Amino acid sequence: GLHGIAVMDGLVRAGAEAVLIERAADILPQFGPQVTRLAHDALARRSTVLKGTRVERARSRRGRIESLELSGGRVLPVDFVVLTAGILPATDLLARAGAHLAPDGSAYVTERAETSLAGIFACGICVSVPHLWSGMHLWSAQGAIADKTAQVAGANAAGGDARLAPLAGTLIRRVLDLSIARTALTAGR
């Protein structure tokens, strides 16, 4: 995912011998197959990329992880492990209160960051915001979106009248010597 690639970028640039273990069939599928292949190749030139691989267990000694046992039985010695895991919207409280949620579990919000419950605002990585080109609500766990929705929700909860600009769907990621980006509508969303 995006965070795992950012960690790998930093580790490799710092001179670490790094291994990316991705349980999915490919890295960065949200960029489409051609860009995903470019990102994979850029990373694989300077590190090890294991796709379609799961960590079955960590082996430790004296409280320190020394190796990872991977699917297929391979044992990978390690000095340290950085775990980046996918996230899901945490909207249980809103669901119990009767808010209208998207199929992915995120809360639909208006341009004022208001939920379907009058006077209840939501923000952060749990909300779906209107998309600039399609008008549909989309969920994206990006820090910039979380920050902007928090600013708008806070201002409006305090009596203001702030508005969100529609989401353009832009993602930018550096993968060592390669920068990849997407914007607007993509085949995936």
Side-chain angles (χ1 to χ4, degrees), residues 20-81:
L20 175 68
I21 302 167
E22 173 59 56
R23 72 176 173 182
D26 219 333
I27 64 169
L28 302 174
Q30 62 270 58
F31 284 95
Q34 296 86 2
V35 175
T36 296
R37 168 57 55 199
L38 291 171
H40 172 272
D41 291 349
L43 198 56
R45 277 192 289 277
R46 293 175 56 191
S47 65
T48 301
V49 179
L50 303 175
K51 301 182 298 184
T53 304
R54 297 177 60 93
V55 174
E56 298 295 338
R57 68 184 49 84
R59 295 180 181 171
S60 63
R61 193 162 127 202
R62 294 188 197 120
R64 181 179 168 87
I65 296 176
E66 291 187 333
S67 65
L68 300 175
E69 185 178 323
L70 308 179
S71 53
R74 178 178 175 185
V75 176
L76 180 68
V78 297
D79 294 318
F80 62 90
V81 175

